[in-house]
Structures are given as structure tokens and as C-alpha cells.
Amino acid sequence: MRYLLLPFTPRYILLTIALLGTLALAAIAALDPETLPEIILPLAVFGAFVLLGICDLIQTRHAILRNYPIAAHIRFILEHIRPELRQYFFEAERDGTPFPRDKRALVYQRAKQQLDTRPFGTHYDVYRDHYEWLHHSIQPKQPASELFRTTIGGAECTKPYSASVFNISAMSYGSLSANAIRALNKGAKLGRLCP
């Protein structure tokens, strides 16, 4: 009884459907030869699937093809197009390796000499741990030393002011690298502009 139900198990169901379809269409063609022009294409398709399934059953190279005739080819096709499916439908903008999709898009835009800026925010989670963030102070600090300051405006100036020789302000990581910002901060510290 188990062997009688074997063709209707999920493993062999596609081969069984192709075989039954081929037999049904062949029977229709045999009983009514005038319908042959209309059913020749479906008969050829079902017949091709039956041949493919039989070849899968008798081959010895791939166990998956032998155990899942016809259906294993669908798996191989999906395996082949998996990178494209993942890239276009399932992968987030920042998940790709070695370069995420948003970085690749920027390179493509620059190669085509198109607008390559992405204003108005970021896709990255700036609140997660270890994300570098600059919290600005709204209160100015008194200079630590007058040594590296200069007065702008002379005796004829009504409002002269004292300015730092080193003018370092907040900078975005897009304009300078992290190493350049560290170097500027170290220079400011050596010049006693910061405590």
C-alpha cells in the first residue's frame, strides 16, 4: 500500500502530475484526432517534464534530483538567482557586503556624473551604542589662555573683539576624516584652546 501512495507524496507529485497530464492529453488526441493541433503544445510540455523526471530518477550524480525529480530543478533555479533576489527584494540599504547598497548607489551616481549627495538625514541608527556623536554646547567657554588669541580691530574700531588663532569648530565626518578631526583636536589641546 505504501508503494501505491509513493507517486502522490510531495517528493514525486510533480512527476506524477506531468505523467497524468501527458496520458490524459494523449488519450484525448487518440480519441479525437481533430483536437491534436490544439493540444500538441501542452502535450509536448507535459511530455518534456515526464522525460526530465525520468532522467532525474535514473541519474546518479545528484541525490537531490533523484529524490525530488523536477522539483529539484526549481530549487537549483532559485539557488542560482538567490543573490539577485536578496539584493533587490530582501536586503536592506545598509546590509550588503563588502559594500552596502547605499554606498554602491553613490559610486554609480558619481560614475554617471549625476547628483551624488544624500541630504536630509541618514539611514543609520545614530542612537545605538558606539555611534560617534557630537553634542554641541550652547554656552561659549572662556579661553584657557590669551597666548593664542589676537585682537581684531584697531583703535579706530568701535567694537574690537578677541579671536582665536586656531579656529576649530564642529565639522561633519563627511567633510573630514576621523583622523583629521582627531589631529585638529590634539592641536587645539596643545595650543591650550581647550581645557
Side-chain angles (χ1 to χ4, degrees):
M1 181 69 177
R2 193 177 104 202
Y3 293 108
L4 292 175
L5 295 177
L6 193 59
F8 300 101
T9 60
R11 290 172 55 176
Y12 299 109
I13 193 68
L14 290 180
L15 178 58
T16 303
I17 291 170
L19 186 60
L20 291 175
T22 303
L23 292 174
L25 290 172
I28 292 170
L31 293 174
D32 189 7
E34 293 177 4
T35 61
L36 188 59
E38 289 92 24
I39 63 171
I40 191 75
L41 184 62
L43 182 63
V45 170
F46 277 108
F49 277 119
V50 169
L51 287 175
L52 178 66
I54 291 171
C55 288
D56 288 345
L57 283 174
I58 61 174
Q59 61 85 33
T60 57
R61 189 170 177 188
H62 295 289
I64 293 174
L65 289 173
R66 193 169 50 254
N67 288 322
Y68 296 93
I70 302 172
H73 291 282
I74 297 169
R75 176 185 180 242
F76 291 145
I77 290 169
L78 290 175
E79 240 179 30
H80 184 70
I81 62 172
R82 179 181 178 267
E84 289 83 4
L85 289 174
R86 184 162 184 228
Q87 178 182 2
Y88 292 114
F89 298 112
F90 304 115
E91 188 176 78
E93 290 290 309
R94 304 173 315 273
D95 291 344
T97 55
F99 300 105
R101 186 170 185 77
D102 59 346
K103 300 279 192 282
R104 287 194 315 262
L106 185 66
V107 171
Y108 297 153
Q109 287 171 324
R110 287 179 178 169
K112 295 176 185 175
Q113 296 182 352
Q114 294 176 347
L115 183 64
D116 62 352
T117 55
R118 300 208 171 192
F120 306 116
T122 179
H123 291 280
Y124 295 98
D125 181 10
V126 297
Y127 297 108
R128 76 172 195 265
D129 290 340
H130 307 295
Y131 193 90
E132 294 188 28
W133 188 254
L134 181 62
H135 294 286
H136 297 282
S137 171
I138 58 172
Q139 296 179 348
K141 292 184 178 180
Q142 289 297 322
S145 169
E146 294 292 324
L147 183 62
F148 295 101
R149 300 195 66 79
T150 184
T151 302
I152 298 174
E156 63 277 352
C157 183
T158 57
K159 294 185 179 179
Y161 64 93
S162 175
S164 171
V165 175
F166 302 108
N167 288 314
I168 301 171
S169 65
M171 297 175 221
S172 78
Y173 279 94
S175 62
L176 291 176
S177 71
N179 288 336
I181 292 172
R182 284 188 200 102
L184 289 170
N185 289 336
K186 187 175 180 182
K189 188 172 183 179
L190 290 172
R192 298 189 200 119
L193 296 174
C194 311

